[in-house]
Amino acid sequence: MAGRSPLHRLPAGVKLAALMAISIALYPVDQPLWLLPVLLLTIAGYATLGPGGLQRLTLVKPVLPFLLLILVFQTWTQGWAAGLVMLQRILVMVLLANLVTLTTSMDAMMAAVMPLLRPLRWVGVAPHRIAFAVALLVRFVPVLMALTASLLEAWRARGGGRRQWRLAVPLLINAIRLSDHVAEALAARGGIPNDSTH
Amino acid sequence: MKEHALKEQGLVQIALYAALIAALGLIPPVPFLSGIPITAQSLGVMLAGVMLGPLRGFLAVVLLLFVVALGAPLLAGGRGGLAVFVGPTAGFAIGWAFAALATGWVTQQLQRLNLAVAAGIGAFVGGILVLYVFGILGFMLITDNGLLRSTQIMMVYIPGDLVKVVITGLVAQAVYKGLPGAVATRVV
Amino acid sequence: MTLLTDPAASFGFSLERVVLERTGQRVLNEVTLEVNQARVGLIGNNGSGKSSLVRLLNGLLKPTSGEVRVNGRNPADGPEAIAGQVGFIFQNPDHQIIFPTVLEEVAFGLRNLGRSRKAAQAEALAFLETQGRADWAQRPVHSLSEGQKQLVCIFAVLVMQPKLIVLDEPFSALDYPTRLHVLNWLHQLPQQLLMISHELDCLDGFDRLIWLDNGQVRGDGEPARILDAYRQASLAGVTL
């Protein structure tokens, strides 16, 4: 989500460090009432994003069924207080993590974590190669998604049934061929340059 | 003449395979027993181990998770971002990498078996045993449940994953027939 | 035939009794060529060895025996060594474009020529400006049309100022107007072009055609004559 809210302007490193600190700080809390203000503050954080900010709370939806299941289980075995603590803590963490993701561009996030990857050089992985692999991944996700979509279409056009996992075979074969072509095209332009400035 | 291996072929394979796992998230999940959907993505994880071998398979999943953590919505259902790693199923996400590693390693050890069987056994060890160790540990840490209870909750997922184990074997065999050189865990 | 006379663009390649075997099969059989025309087409049926031949020119393949020379250099030293001399345009842009945005893609080759990251980006942007496409810089590649993607591939190669541009069926994904447009644009370039194409009308205005058949040169010379012979042979012996 592009934007100019105060949270957007906070450096990515600060947000990541805060997220980590909060997750550690919340761990020992065992009173449901202490967690409630934290949860409300988190929700207020979404409100600072500007119009439409609060709608982004729905990002948490995929986790909800699972959370309810755990809540029921926890309440049944350890009482409602433990259930509520657990529910609120996970909600806070998931909402905060989403908030960081929403307000930080991938580039900024990448720049913030690159220094942390530097020690990997010692085991022979240069950070610029990681950056290169990330770029390749971002580039080829839409290509392979388009391929998957067209395979699904062809499958349905021929009245394909529910055993859609069979599409994994042509998808794999295509991806392998694609990777051969890409490696060739990469070599034709001189491979990955050595880089220490990234 | 033996074709010379292109420089950077490994890196390209890792990146494209990571992209492939993301693309598999598009295949609509099949609702299975108890309404828990099976996504094709974790199938892709096991296949990563079989197709690329343990190390590259592991790295492909790590790369995907890294980009997901940076904020890309590449997991099934458009999930992504740091939330994946703080939610109750965070252990499974991290376990994927080790599942690919174990799947590849076990498949590699079983050269004398038919590939479908070898990959199936590999996927069972990686995609069930190893994956659930991580999944259950993660769940215990994040929800404060005991080992027994966490295991009980996670059990509902196992039937779906068993189906994927079988499918991994079948898919690996089919690809091997079409492109024998593409399966890194087979010594040609 | 027009020879390249502009010394800045002067270029040429040669093959001397080149044999290439791949997985036990002889793909090229004693091919000898001396090529220094500006616009050269390469035709022949599928499997005749066209794609293999052009891959010898930038070191993606190495000859089993014989010698390849590109502007006096030996491409068998590896594609990395010759990338600045020979630009390669592949059939499918999606197989070739490596980066998510146009600017990164165009800057990539420059990084390989030793530019710093910043210098490469600035130079790439300046290049896009000279092409009137500065607005493409930050566009995600997947949002471009097929024709636009193919142009990006060509930009990414041109910015490295190669002396020879090899095009391996560059038009198969393009519709007719886009094809004409790209073709016209290619003809303006000072570089030597070597183009593989099944679309024979794309070879209008070329200086020389080479017809490969079964790994050997079956015809070589003035385009009208070679095209005629190729058409006749195709009509006479259509065997699928």
Side-chain angles (χ1 to χ4, degrees), chain A residues 84-135:
Chain A
L84 278 180
V85 165
M86 192 275 322
L87 177 78
Q88 291 185 94
R89 195 173 59 213
I90 295 177
L91 261 180
V92 166
M93 285 319 299
V94 171
L95 284 172
L96 277 180
N98 275 334
L99 196 55
V100 173
T101 302
L102 270 174
T103 56
T104 317
S105 74
M106 264 186 78
D107 287 342
M109 199 77 97
M110 185 89 175
V113 294
M114 265 337 227
L116 303 176
L117 299 178
R118 240 173 245 153
L120 285 176
R121 212 184 266 284
W122 297 349
V123 291
V125 187
H128 77 274
R129 294 174 63 83
I130 302 173
F132 190 88
V134 170

Side-chain angles (χ1 to χ4, degrees), chain C residues 106-124:
Chain C
V106 176
F108 171 70
L110 294 170
R111 299 274 299 108
N112 272 323
L113 296 180
R115 313 283 204 281
S116 77
R117 197 180 159 74
K118 274 205 171 133
Q121 296 229 337
E123 204 169 323

Side-chain angles (χ1 to χ4, degrees), chain C residues 95-167:
Chain C
H95 291 167
Q96 175 168 7
I97 300 179
I98 298 165
F99 285 92
T101 62
V102 174
L103 186 64
E104 286 175 289
E105 176 69 13
V106 176
F108 171 70
L110 294 170
R111 299 274 299 108
N112 272 323
L113 296 180
R115 313 283 204 281
S116 77
R117 197 180 159 74
K118 274 205 171 133
Q121 296 229 337
E123 204 169 323
L125 192 60
F127 178 81
L128 284 174
E129 268 161 21
T130 65
Q131 301 295 334
R133 308 284 186 179
D135 56 315
W136 283 11
Q138 297 305 330
R139 292 260 304 264
V141 165
H142 66 90
S143 72
L144 302 174
S145 71
E146 286 306 307
Q148 292 172 331
K149 278 191 215 168
Q150 195 59 285
L151 270 183
V152 169
C153 291
I154 300 175
F155 288 165
V157 159
L158 265 187
V159 75
M160 296 171 80
Q161 299 184 307
K163 304 245 167 61
L164 164 67
I165 298 178
V166 175
L167 304 109

